[in-house]
Amino acid sequence: MPTPPVPLQLATLAVHGPEKRTSVGAPVVFPLVQSVNYLQQVGTEAGLLYPRYGNAPNAERVQATMAALEGTEAALLLSSGQGATACALLALLRPGDHLLSSEWIYGGTRQLFLEQFPAMGIEVTLVDPTESRVWRQQLRRETRAIFVESPVNPTTRVLDLRQLRVLASENGFALVVDSTFASPVNFRPVEHGADVVIHSATKFLNGHHDVLAGVVAGSAAYIEEVRQKMILWGQAPDPFAAWLLERGIKTLDVRVRRHNENALRLARWCESHPAVERVLYPGLESHPDHEVARNTLNGFGGMMALVLRGGGEAAERFVSQLTVIAHAPSLGGVDSLASEPRFSSHARLSPEERAAAGIPDGFVRISVGIEDVADLISDVQGALR
Ligand SMILES: Cc1ncc(COP(=O)(O)O)c(C=O)c1O
C-alpha cells in the first residue's frame, strides 16, 4: 500500500488513528476485544496483556489516537476524567510537594486538591488565574506543578498560558492543563507550552453521553509514571468503553465544528433578550477573554452560560420549561443539556463562594449540542417567555 503523505490532518487522524491498516481482509472498524485475559508466552513476563495495565487492544488504539491529536509522545486512557486528574497529579507530586492551581476548576478537581491531597502531605494553593503577579508570589521551593483548566467550567473563561509557560519552564516544573471544554479540535495545549494535557473523555471526545473515561497526554516517560498510578489505584477503563470512545473520536472534528457554530448563534441570540442579564460565551465580543480566545483557540466551543434576571427562581423556571434542551448535568455530547452548577458541579461551594467565582444564582450552563440551531433558539425563546 502506498505511504500516505505526512503529517495527516487532525480530522483524518481522528477517523483513522495513526496506524495504517495494510493487510487485505483487515476489518475497517477495529473490533471490540472484550477479553480480560490473553495467552501469555512461556518463560517471560514480556508481552503480558491485561486491561488494568492499559495495554489491551482497544485502549491502545485510543491512546495512540489521542497522542496524535494532542501532539504528544504518548497518552493514557483511564476510567474517568476524575481518575485522569488524580493519576496525572499523583505521578508528579510526592509528600512534601506543593501544587499551584488556578481556583477556577471543576468542583471534583477542587475537592481532590483541597480534601485528598493535604491528607497525603501535598499542599495546594489556589490562585485567581487572572492575577498574574500572584502566581509568582505563591511559588515555593517545593512547587512541582501548575494546574489550570481552560476554558473554565462553567464560566467559559479562557486563560492565557503564556505567563504560566514561562513560570513553569524557568522553574523546571510541569504545566498541566485540563482541556476538557476545548477538545483538541479547538485547542491543543502542548502547542502553547503545556507539558501535560488532561481530558474528561466523557465529554466532547466521546460526545454521545454514553461513556465515562479520561485521558492524560504527555511525554512517554511521564505517561509511564501515570500508568503505574493507574494500575495500582485501579483506574483503568473497560474495553467496551475504549471501543465506544474510539467510535466517538472518529466524528470529533465535525461534531465540535457544529457545537462551535450552534453555540455562537445561540449565544448571539440570547444577548439581546431582556430576561437575560448576561451571556457568557468566548465568541462574543462582550466576553472578558474574547481577545485571548480569538488569539489562541481554533473555535470558541460548545459551552455557554446565561445569567438570568430573577436569580435562582428564574433559572429553575427556565430549565423546567425547556423541551428540546434536556435538564441534565455533564456536557459535550450531541444532545443539548442545561444545568445549574449550584445543584451539580459546584454544589459544595457556598452561594458566596460561587458568586465570587462568577456563578451567581440564576446562572444556567448550556452545553450546546448538534441539533438544528433554529430548534434550540425557539426552545430557549419559549422557556424565557
Ligand atoms: C473540566 C472537567 N474536568 C474533569 C471532569 C471530571 O470528569 P469525569 O466526570 O469524566 O470523571 C469534569 C466533569 O464534569 C470536568 O467538567
Side-chain angles (χ1 to χ4, degrees), residues 237-269:
D238 181 81
F240 187 45
W243 185 82
L244 277 175
L245 181 56
E246 181 182 358
R247 183 186 168 116
I249 290 172
K250 282 178 188 283
T251 57
L252 182 68
D253 189 70
V254 279
R255 279 190 288 105
V256 170
R257 286 168 192 266
R258 174 72 166 231
H259 286 294
N260 292 345
E261 229 175 84
N262 279 1
L264 182 60
R265 287 188 53 195
L266 182 60
R268 277 209 197 292
W269 184 89

PDB file of all heavy atoms in Angstrom, residues 237-269:
ATOM      1  N   PRO A 237      -9.873   1.725  32.233  1.00  0.00           N
ATOM      2  CA  PRO A 237     -11.222   1.561  31.688  1.00  0.00           C
ATOM      3  C   PRO A 237     -11.483   0.142  31.211  1.00  0.00           C
ATOM      4  O   PRO A 237     -10.554  -0.638  30.981  1.00  0.00           O
ATOM      5  CB  PRO A 237     -11.206   2.516  30.492  1.00  0.00           C
ATOM      6  CG  PRO A 237      -9.797   2.475  30.014  1.00  0.00           C
ATOM      7  CD  PRO A 237      -8.931   2.258  31.227  1.00  0.00           C
ATOM      8  N   ASP A 238     -12.746  -0.153  31.018  1.00  0.00           N
ATOM      9  CA  ASP A 238     -13.170  -1.417  30.439  1.00  0.00           C
ATOM     10  C   ASP A 238     -12.986  -1.356  28.916  1.00  0.00           C
ATOM     11  O   ASP A 238     -13.115  -0.275  28.328  1.00  0.00           O
ATOM     12  CB  ASP A 238     -14.657  -1.601  30.782  1.00  0.00           C
ATOM     13  CG  ASP A 238     -15.206  -2.896  30.265  1.00  0.00           C
ATOM     14  OD1 ASP A 238     -14.975  -3.912  30.932  1.00  0.00           O
ATOM     15  OD2 ASP A 238     -15.845  -2.896  29.190  1.00  0.00           O
ATOM     16  N   PRO A 239     -12.687  -2.487  28.243  1.00  0.00           N
ATOM     17  CA  PRO A 239     -12.501  -2.446  26.787  1.00  0.00           C
ATOM     18  C   PRO A 239     -13.693  -1.850  26.031  1.00  0.00           C
ATOM     19  O   PRO A 239     -13.518  -1.136  25.043  1.00  0.00           O
ATOM     20  CB  PRO A 239     -12.311  -3.920  26.408  1.00  0.00           C
ATOM     21  CG  PRO A 239     -11.774  -4.562  27.641  1.00  0.00           C
ATOM     22  CD  PRO A 239     -12.374  -3.831  28.796  1.00  0.00           C
ATOM     23  N   PHE A 240     -14.905  -2.126  26.479  1.00  0.00           N
ATOM     24  CA  PHE A 240     -16.085  -1.614  25.753  1.00  0.00           C
ATOM     25  C   PHE A 240     -16.117  -0.087  25.785  1.00  0.00           C
ATOM     26  O   PHE A 240     -16.473   0.558  24.790  1.00  0.00           O
ATOM     27  CB  PHE A 240     -17.368  -2.198  26.356  1.00  0.00           C
ATOM     28  CG  PHE A 240     -18.610  -1.846  25.570  1.00  0.00           C
ATOM     29  CD1 PHE A 240     -18.631  -1.940  24.183  1.00  0.00           C
ATOM     30  CD2 PHE A 240     -19.761  -1.422  26.224  1.00  0.00           C
ATOM     31  CE1 PHE A 240     -19.790  -1.626  23.458  1.00  0.00           C
ATOM     32  CE2 PHE A 240     -20.914  -1.103  25.505  1.00  0.00           C
ATOM     33  CZ  PHE A 240     -20.919  -1.198  24.120  1.00  0.00           C
ATOM     34  N   ALA A 241     -15.728   0.502  26.908  1.00  0.00           N
ATOM     35  CA  ALA A 241     -15.673   1.974  26.990  1.00  0.00           C
ATOM     36  C   ALA A 241     -14.655   2.501  25.974  1.00  0.00           C
ATOM     37  O   ALA A 241     -14.901   3.496  25.280  1.00  0.00           O
ATOM     38  CB  ALA A 241     -15.304   2.417  28.409  1.00  0.00           C
ATOM     39  N   ALA A 242     -13.518   1.808  25.874  1.00  0.00           N
ATOM     40  CA  ALA A 242     -12.482   2.233  24.923  1.00  0.00           C
ATOM     41  C   ALA A 242     -12.986   2.112  23.488  1.00  0.00           C
ATOM     42  O   ALA A 242     -12.747   2.985  22.651  1.00  0.00           O
ATOM     43  CB  ALA A 242     -11.216   1.392  25.121  1.00  0.00           C
ATOM     44  N   TRP A 243     -13.703   1.051  23.203  1.00  0.00           N
ATOM     45  CA  TRP A 243     -14.224   0.829  21.839  1.00  0.00           C
ATOM     46  C   TRP A 243     -15.243   1.921  21.475  1.00  0.00           C
ATOM     47  O   TRP A 243     -15.193   2.510  20.391  1.00  0.00           O
ATOM     48  CB  TRP A 243     -14.860  -0.559  21.758  1.00  0.00           C
ATOM     49  CG  TRP A 243     -15.310  -0.928  20.378  1.00  0.00           C
ATOM     50  CD1 TRP A 243     -14.536  -1.419  19.370  1.00  0.00           C
ATOM     51  CD2 TRP A 243     -16.635  -0.825  19.858  1.00  0.00           C
ATOM     52  NE1 TRP A 243     -15.306  -1.625  18.251  1.00  0.00           N
ATOM     53  CE2 TRP A 243     -16.598  -1.279  18.515  1.00  0.00           C
ATOM     54  CE3 TRP A 243     -17.858  -0.404  20.390  1.00  0.00           C
ATOM     55  CZ2 TRP A 243     -17.729  -1.309  17.708  1.00  0.00           C
ATOM     56  CZ3 TRP A 243     -18.979  -0.445  19.580  1.00  0.00           C
ATOM     57  CH2 TRP A 243     -18.912  -0.891  18.251  1.00  0.00           C
ATOM     58  N   LEU A 244     -16.152   2.199  22.405  1.00  0.00           N
ATOM     59  CA  LEU A 244     -17.135   3.260  22.152  1.00  0.00           C
ATOM     60  C   LEU A 244     -16.448   4.612  21.977  1.00  0.00           C
ATOM     61  O   LEU A 244     -16.839   5.423  21.149  1.00  0.00           O
ATOM     62  CB  LEU A 244     -18.127   3.358  23.314  1.00  0.00           C
ATOM     63  CG  LEU A 244     -19.296   2.377  23.307  1.00  0.00           C
ATOM     64  CD1 LEU A 244     -20.108   2.537  24.595  1.00  0.00           C
ATOM     65  CD2 LEU A 244     -20.199   2.603  22.097  1.00  0.00           C
ATOM     66  N   LEU A 245     -15.423   4.834  22.783  1.00  0.00           N
ATOM     67  CA  LEU A 245     -14.714   6.118  22.709  1.00  0.00           C
ATOM     68  C   LEU A 245     -14.008   6.258  21.360  1.00  0.00           C
ATOM     69  O   LEU A 245     -14.030   7.341  20.753  1.00  0.00           O
ATOM     70  CB  LEU A 245     -13.712   6.223  23.871  1.00  0.00           C
ATOM     71  CG  LEU A 245     -12.910   7.505  23.973  1.00  0.00           C
ATOM     72  CD1 LEU A 245     -13.818   8.736  24.034  1.00  0.00           C
ATOM     73  CD2 LEU A 245     -12.009   7.468  25.207  1.00  0.00           C
ATOM     74  N   GLU A 246     -13.404   5.183  20.863  1.00  0.00           N
ATOM     75  CA  GLU A 246     -12.766   5.254  19.535  1.00  0.00           C
ATOM     76  C   GLU A 246     -13.802   5.647  18.488  1.00  0.00           C
ATOM     77  O   GLU A 246     -13.556   6.502  17.628  1.00  0.00           O
ATOM     78  CB  GLU A 246     -12.120   3.919  19.159  1.00  0.00           C
ATOM     79  CG  GLU A 246     -11.440   4.038  17.793  1.00  0.00           C
ATOM     80  CD  GLU A 246     -10.790   2.772  17.277  1.00  0.00           C
ATOM     81  OE1 GLU A 246     -10.801   1.742  17.975  1.00  0.00           O
ATOM     82  OE2 GLU A 246     -10.281   2.820  16.145  1.00  0.00           O
ATOM     83  N   ARG A 247     -14.963   5.075  18.593  1.00  0.00           N
ATOM     84  CA  ARG A 247     -16.045   5.394  17.652  1.00  0.00           C
ATOM     85  C   ARG A 247     -16.452   6.878  17.780  1.00  0.00           C
ATOM     86  O   ARG A 247     -16.652   7.561  16.779  1.00  0.00           O
ATOM     87  CB  ARG A 247     -17.230   4.484  17.973  1.00  0.00           C
ATOM     88  CG  ARG A 247     -18.394   4.638  17.073  1.00  0.00           C
ATOM     89  CD  ARG A 247     -19.519   3.772  17.630  1.00  0.00           C
ATOM     90  NE  ARG A 247     -20.744   4.102  16.962  1.00  0.00           N
ATOM     91  CZ  ARG A 247     -21.415   3.257  16.190  1.00  0.00           C
ATOM     92  NH1 ARG A 247     -20.991   2.042  16.016  1.00  0.00           N
ATOM     93  NH2 ARG A 247     -22.533   3.637  15.625  1.00  0.00           N
ATOM     94  N   GLY A 248     -16.542   7.352  19.014  1.00  0.00           N
ATOM     95  CA  GLY A 248     -16.901   8.765  19.222  1.00  0.00           C
ATOM     96  C   GLY A 248     -15.854   9.707  18.647  1.00  0.00           C
ATOM     97  O   GLY A 248     -16.179  10.698  17.987  1.00  0.00           O
ATOM     98  N   ILE A 249     -14.583   9.376  18.850  1.00  0.00           N
ATOM     99  CA  ILE A 249     -13.495  10.267  18.413  1.00  0.00           C
ATOM    100  C   ILE A 249     -13.468  10.394  16.886  1.00  0.00           C
ATOM    101  O   ILE A 249     -13.077  11.424  16.347  1.00  0.00           O
ATOM    102  CB  ILE A 249     -12.136   9.771  18.977  1.00  0.00           C
ATOM    103  CG1 ILE A 249     -12.093   9.993  20.485  1.00  0.00           C
ATOM    104  CG2 ILE A 249     -10.966  10.494  18.308  1.00  0.00           C
ATOM    105  CD1 ILE A 249     -10.894   9.382  21.182  1.00  0.00           C
ATOM    106  N   LYS A 250     -13.934   9.360  16.188  1.00  0.00           N
ATOM    107  CA  LYS A 250     -13.937   9.428  14.712  1.00  0.00           C
ATOM    108  C   LYS A 250     -14.694  10.659  14.203  1.00  0.00           C
ATOM    109  O   LYS A 250     -14.344  11.235  13.188  1.00  0.00           O
ATOM    110  CB  LYS A 250     -14.565   8.167  14.119  1.00  0.00           C
ATOM    111  CG  LYS A 250     -13.631   6.954  14.115  1.00  0.00           C
ATOM    112  CD  LYS A 250     -14.357   5.741  13.561  1.00  0.00           C
ATOM    113  CE  LYS A 250     -13.535   4.473  13.730  1.00  0.00           C
ATOM    114  NZ  LYS A 250     -12.448   4.338  12.750  1.00  0.00           N
ATOM    115  N   THR A 251     -15.745  11.062  14.905  1.00  0.00           N
ATOM    116  CA  THR A 251     -16.558  12.197  14.431  1.00  0.00           C
ATOM    117  C   THR A 251     -16.255  13.488  15.200  1.00  0.00           C
ATOM    118  O   THR A 251     -17.005  14.458  15.097  1.00  0.00           O
ATOM    119  CB  THR A 251     -18.064  11.875  14.574  1.00  0.00           C
ATOM    120  OG1 THR A 251     -18.331  11.555  15.946  1.00  0.00           O
ATOM    121  CG2 THR A 251     -18.482  10.719  13.678  1.00  0.00           C
ATOM    122  N   LEU A 252     -15.173  13.482  15.970  1.00  0.00           N
ATOM    123  CA  LEU A 252     -14.880  14.642  16.824  1.00  0.00           C
ATOM    124  C   LEU A 252     -14.826  15.955  16.038  1.00  0.00           C
ATOM    125  O   LEU A 252     -15.427  16.960  16.438  1.00  0.00           O
ATOM    126  CB  LEU A 252     -13.544  14.413  17.545  1.00  0.00           C
ATOM    127  CG  LEU A 252     -13.123  15.513  18.517  1.00  0.00           C
ATOM    128  CD1 LEU A 252     -14.055  15.550  19.719  1.00  0.00           C
ATOM    129  CD2 LEU A 252     -11.685  15.298  19.004  1.00  0.00           C
ATOM    130  N   ASP A 253     -14.137  15.928  14.921  1.00  0.00           N
ATOM    131  CA  ASP A 253     -13.934  17.170  14.181  1.00  0.00           C
ATOM    132  C   ASP A 253     -15.264  17.764  13.697  1.00  0.00           C
ATOM    133  O   ASP A 253     -15.543  18.935  13.935  1.00  0.00           O
ATOM    134  CB  ASP A 253     -12.999  16.905  12.992  1.00  0.00           C
ATOM    135  CG  ASP A 253     -12.581  18.193  12.312  1.00  0.00           C
ATOM    136  OD1 ASP A 253     -11.808  18.944  12.926  1.00  0.00           O
ATOM    137  OD2 ASP A 253     -13.048  18.457  11.191  1.00  0.00           O
ATOM    138  N   VAL A 254     -16.100  16.962  13.078  1.00  0.00           N
ATOM    139  CA  VAL A 254     -17.387  17.516  12.588  1.00  0.00           C
ATOM    140  C   VAL A 254     -18.296  17.902  13.735  1.00  0.00           C
ATOM    141  O   VAL A 254     -18.975  18.934  13.683  1.00  0.00           O
ATOM    142  CB  VAL A 254     -18.168  16.563  11.650  1.00  0.00           C
ATOM    143  CG1 VAL A 254     -17.647  16.617  10.245  1.00  0.00           C
ATOM    144  CG2 VAL A 254     -18.231  15.153  12.155  1.00  0.00           C
ATOM    145  N   ARG A 255     -18.292  17.096  14.783  1.00  0.00           N
ATOM    146  CA  ARG A 255     -19.161  17.432  15.922  1.00  0.00           C
ATOM    147  C   ARG A 255     -18.752  18.762  16.530  1.00  0.00           C
ATOM    148  O   ARG A 255     -19.589  19.634  16.766  1.00  0.00           O
ATOM    149  CB  ARG A 255     -19.094  16.332  16.994  1.00  0.00           C
ATOM    150  CG  ARG A 255     -19.950  15.134  16.703  1.00  0.00           C
ATOM    151  CD  ARG A 255     -20.042  14.201  17.895  1.00  0.00           C
ATOM    152  NE  ARG A 255     -18.818  13.455  18.170  1.00  0.00           N
ATOM    153  CZ  ARG A 255     -17.969  13.689  19.150  1.00  0.00           C
ATOM    154  NH1 ARG A 255     -18.195  14.685  20.004  1.00  0.00           N
ATOM    155  NH2 ARG A 255     -16.886  12.966  19.317  1.00  0.00           N
ATOM    156  N   VAL A 256     -17.460  18.913  16.808  1.00  0.00           N
ATOM    157  CA  VAL A 256     -17.022  20.127  17.521  1.00  0.00           C
ATOM    158  C   VAL A 256     -17.253  21.376  16.655  1.00  0.00           C
ATOM    159  O   VAL A 256     -17.654  22.422  17.157  1.00  0.00           O
ATOM    160  CB  VAL A 256     -15.562  19.993  17.995  1.00  0.00           C
ATOM    161  CG1 VAL A 256     -15.021  21.315  18.519  1.00  0.00           C
ATOM    162  CG2 VAL A 256     -15.473  18.931  19.088  1.00  0.00           C
ATOM    163  N   ARG A 257     -17.035  21.241  15.348  1.00  0.00           N
ATOM    164  CA  ARG A 257     -17.315  22.400  14.477  1.00  0.00           C
ATOM    165  C   ARG A 257     -18.786  22.802  14.566  1.00  0.00           C
ATOM    166  O   ARG A 257     -19.122  23.983  14.599  1.00  0.00           O
ATOM    167  CB  ARG A 257     -16.949  22.082  13.033  1.00  0.00           C
ATOM    168  CG  ARG A 257     -15.448  22.080  12.802  1.00  0.00           C
ATOM    169  CD  ARG A 257     -15.142  21.476  11.455  1.00  0.00           C
ATOM    170  NE  ARG A 257     -13.732  21.210  11.338  1.00  0.00           N
ATOM    171  CZ  ARG A 257     -12.855  22.053  10.799  1.00  0.00           C
ATOM    172  NH1 ARG A 257     -13.258  23.219  10.334  1.00  0.00           N
ATOM    173  NH2 ARG A 257     -11.583  21.730  10.713  1.00  0.00           N
ATOM    174  N   ARG A 258     -19.660  21.805  14.615  1.00  0.00           N
ATOM    175  CA  ARG A 258     -21.093  22.103  14.703  1.00  0.00           C
ATOM    176  C   ARG A 258     -21.446  22.671  16.091  1.00  0.00           C
ATOM    177  O   ARG A 258     -22.243  23.604  16.206  1.00  0.00           O
ATOM    178  CB  ARG A 258     -21.876  20.820  14.406  1.00  0.00           C
ATOM    179  CG  ARG A 258     -23.354  20.912  14.596  1.00  0.00           C
ATOM    180  CD  ARG A 258     -24.034  21.754  13.511  1.00  0.00           C
ATOM    181  NE  ARG A 258     -25.449  21.519  13.570  1.00  0.00           N
ATOM    182  CZ  ARG A 258     -26.215  21.189  12.537  1.00  0.00           C
ATOM    183  NH1 ARG A 258     -25.693  21.131  11.341  1.00  0.00           N
ATOM    184  NH2 ARG A 258     -27.496  20.966  12.702  1.00  0.00           N
ATOM    185  N   HIS A 259     -20.829  22.107  17.151  1.00  0.00           N
ATOM    186  CA  HIS A 259     -21.028  22.676  18.501  1.00  0.00           C
ATOM    187  C   HIS A 259     -20.640  24.162  18.479  1.00  0.00           C
ATOM    188  O   HIS A 259     -21.359  25.002  19.006  1.00  0.00           O
ATOM    189  CB  HIS A 259     -20.138  21.970  19.525  1.00  0.00           C
ATOM    190  CG  HIS A 259     -20.568  20.589  19.923  1.00  0.00           C
ATOM    191  ND1 HIS A 259     -21.727  20.332  20.613  1.00  0.00           N
ATOM    192  CD2 HIS A 259     -19.970  19.381  19.773  1.00  0.00           C
ATOM    193  CE1 HIS A 259     -21.825  19.026  20.855  1.00  0.00           C
ATOM    194  NE2 HIS A 259     -20.768  18.430  20.354  1.00  0.00           N
ATOM    195  N   ASN A 260     -19.484  24.450  17.883  1.00  0.00           N
ATOM    196  CA  ASN A 260     -18.982  25.834  17.839  1.00  0.00           C
ATOM    197  C   ASN A 260     -19.990  26.749  17.140  1.00  0.00           C
ATOM    198  O   ASN A 260     -20.294  27.847  17.626  1.00  0.00           O
ATOM    199  CB  ASN A 260     -17.665  25.911  17.050  1.00  0.00           C
ATOM    200  CG  ASN A 260     -16.501  25.213  17.742  1.00  0.00           C
ATOM    201  OD1 ASN A 260     -16.558  24.904  18.918  1.00  0.00           O
ATOM    202  ND2 ASN A 260     -15.439  24.955  16.998  1.00  0.00           N
ATOM    203  N   GLU A 261     -20.470  26.287  15.999  1.00  0.00           N
ATOM    204  CA  GLU A 261     -21.388  27.087  15.173  1.00  0.00           C
ATOM    205  C   GLU A 261     -22.701  27.343  15.909  1.00  0.00           C
ATOM    206  O   GLU A 261     -23.172  28.471  16.004  1.00  0.00           O
ATOM    207  CB  GLU A 261     -21.707  26.232  13.949  1.00  0.00           C
ATOM    208  CG  GLU A 261     -21.588  26.861  12.610  1.00  0.00           C
ATOM    209  CD  GLU A 261     -21.849  25.758  11.585  1.00  0.00           C
ATOM    210  OE1 GLU A 261     -23.026  25.475  11.266  1.00  0.00           O
ATOM    211  OE2 GLU A 261     -20.838  25.165  11.136  1.00  0.00           O
ATOM    212  N   ASN A 262     -23.283  26.264  16.455  1.00  0.00           N
ATOM    213  CA  ASN A 262     -24.565  26.384  17.152  1.00  0.00           C
ATOM    214  C   ASN A 262     -24.456  27.273  18.378  1.00  0.00           C
ATOM    215  O   ASN A 262     -25.330  28.099  18.644  1.00  0.00           O
ATOM    216  CB  ASN A 262     -25.064  24.994  17.592  1.00  0.00           C
ATOM    217  CG  ASN A 262     -25.740  24.231  16.468  1.00  0.00           C
ATOM    218  OD1 ASN A 262     -25.818  24.739  15.346  1.00  0.00           O
ATOM    219  ND2 ASN A 262     -26.212  23.031  16.757  1.00  0.00           N
ATOM    220  N   ALA A 263     -23.379  27.095  19.145  1.00  0.00           N
ATOM    221  CA  ALA A 263     -23.241  27.860  20.390  1.00  0.00           C
ATOM    222  C   ALA A 263     -23.088  29.347  20.084  1.00  0.00           C
ATOM    223  O   ALA A 263     -23.688  30.189  20.770  1.00  0.00           O
ATOM    224  CB  ALA A 263     -22.042  27.343  21.193  1.00  0.00           C
ATOM    225  N   LEU A 264     -22.321  29.671  19.055  1.00  0.00           N
ATOM    226  CA  LEU A 264     -22.147  31.090  18.725  1.00  0.00           C
ATOM    227  C   LEU A 264     -23.495  31.715  18.339  1.00  0.00           C
ATOM    228  O   LEU A 264     -23.845  32.805  18.790  1.00  0.00           O
ATOM    229  CB  LEU A 264     -21.122  31.255  17.592  1.00  0.00           C
ATOM    230  CG  LEU A 264     -20.803  32.694  17.190  1.00  0.00           C
ATOM    231  CD1 LEU A 264     -20.235  33.497  18.364  1.00  0.00           C
ATOM    232  CD2 LEU A 264     -19.806  32.734  16.025  1.00  0.00           C
ATOM    233  N   ARG A 265     -24.271  30.984  17.553  1.00  0.00           N
ATOM    234  CA  ARG A 265     -25.553  31.545  17.108  1.00  0.00           C
ATOM    235  C   ARG A 265     -26.539  31.662  18.267  1.00  0.00           C
ATOM    236  O   ARG A 265     -27.239  32.663  18.404  1.00  0.00           O
ATOM    237  CB  ARG A 265     -26.128  30.705  15.966  1.00  0.00           C
ATOM    238  CG  ARG A 265     -25.306  30.972  14.707  1.00  0.00           C
ATOM    239  CD  ARG A 265     -25.849  30.372  13.469  1.00  0.00           C
ATOM    240  NE  ARG A 265     -27.241  30.696  13.191  1.00  0.00           N
ATOM    241  CZ  ARG A 265     -27.966  30.031  12.310  1.00  0.00           C
ATOM    242  NH1 ARG A 265     -27.442  29.040  11.644  1.00  0.00           N
ATOM    243  NH2 ARG A 265     -29.211  30.358  12.077  1.00  0.00           N
ATOM    244  N   LEU A 266     -26.570  30.651  19.124  1.00  0.00           N
ATOM    245  CA  LEU A 266     -27.487  30.712  20.273  1.00  0.00           C
ATOM    246  C   LEU A 266     -27.059  31.824  21.239  1.00  0.00           C
ATOM    247  O   LEU A 266     -27.897  32.589  21.736  1.00  0.00           O
ATOM    248  CB  LEU A 266     -27.515  29.353  20.989  1.00  0.00           C
ATOM    249  CG  LEU A 266     -28.468  29.237  22.173  1.00  0.00           C
ATOM    250  CD1 LEU A 266     -29.920  29.481  21.751  1.00  0.00           C
ATOM    251  CD2 LEU A 266     -28.364  27.840  22.826  1.00  0.00           C
ATOM    252  N   ALA A 267     -25.762  31.930  21.480  1.00  0.00           N
ATOM    253  CA  ALA A 267     -25.260  32.960  22.403  1.00  0.00           C
ATOM    254  C   ALA A 267     -25.594  34.353  21.864  1.00  0.00           C
ATOM    255  O   ALA A 267     -26.063  35.225  22.611  1.00  0.00           O
ATOM    256  CB  ALA A 267     -23.755  32.799  22.592  1.00  0.00           C
ATOM    257  N   ARG A 268     -25.377  34.573  20.585  1.00  0.00           N
ATOM    258  CA  ARG A 268     -25.686  35.882  19.990  1.00  0.00           C
ATOM    259  C   ARG A 268     -27.170  36.197  20.122  1.00  0.00           C
ATOM    260  O   ARG A 268     -27.560  37.307  20.433  1.00  0.00           O
ATOM    261  CB  ARG A 268     -25.315  35.884  18.498  1.00  0.00           C
ATOM    262  CG  ARG A 268     -23.874  36.157  18.247  1.00  0.00           C
ATOM    263  CD  ARG A 268     -23.675  36.849  16.887  1.00  0.00           C
ATOM    264  NE  ARG A 268     -22.279  36.754  16.482  1.00  0.00           N
ATOM    265  CZ  ARG A 268     -21.270  37.366  17.082  1.00  0.00           C
ATOM    266  NH1 ARG A 268     -21.495  38.134  18.136  1.00  0.00           N
ATOM    267  NH2 ARG A 268     -20.036  37.212  16.648  1.00  0.00           N
ATOM    268  N   TRP A 269     -28.012  35.187  19.904  1.00  0.00           N
ATOM    269  CA  TRP A 269     -29.453  35.416  20.001  1.00  0.00           C
ATOM    270  C   TRP A 269     -29.826  35.807  21.449  1.00  0.00           C
ATOM    271  O   TRP A 269     -30.620  36.725  21.656  1.00  0.00           O
ATOM    272  CB  TRP A 269     -30.217  34.141  19.571  1.00  0.00           C
ATOM    273  CG  TRP A 269     -31.692  34.379  19.576  1.00  0.00           C
ATOM    274  CD1 TRP A 269     -32.461  34.851  18.552  1.00  0.00           C
ATOM    275  CD2 TRP A 269     -32.571  34.214  20.688  1.00  0.00           C
ATOM    276  NE1 TRP A 269     -33.760  34.986  18.960  1.00  0.00           N
ATOM    277  CE2 TRP A 269     -33.860  34.602  20.278  1.00  0.00           C
ATOM    278  CE3 TRP A 269     -32.406  33.775  22.009  1.00  0.00           C
ATOM    279  CZ2 TRP A 269     -34.969  34.569  21.116  1.00  0.00           C
ATOM    280  CZ3 TRP A 269     -33.505  33.747  22.855  1.00  0.00           C
ATOM    281  CH2 TRP A 269     -34.770  34.136  22.409  1.00  0.00           C
TER     282      TRP A 269
END
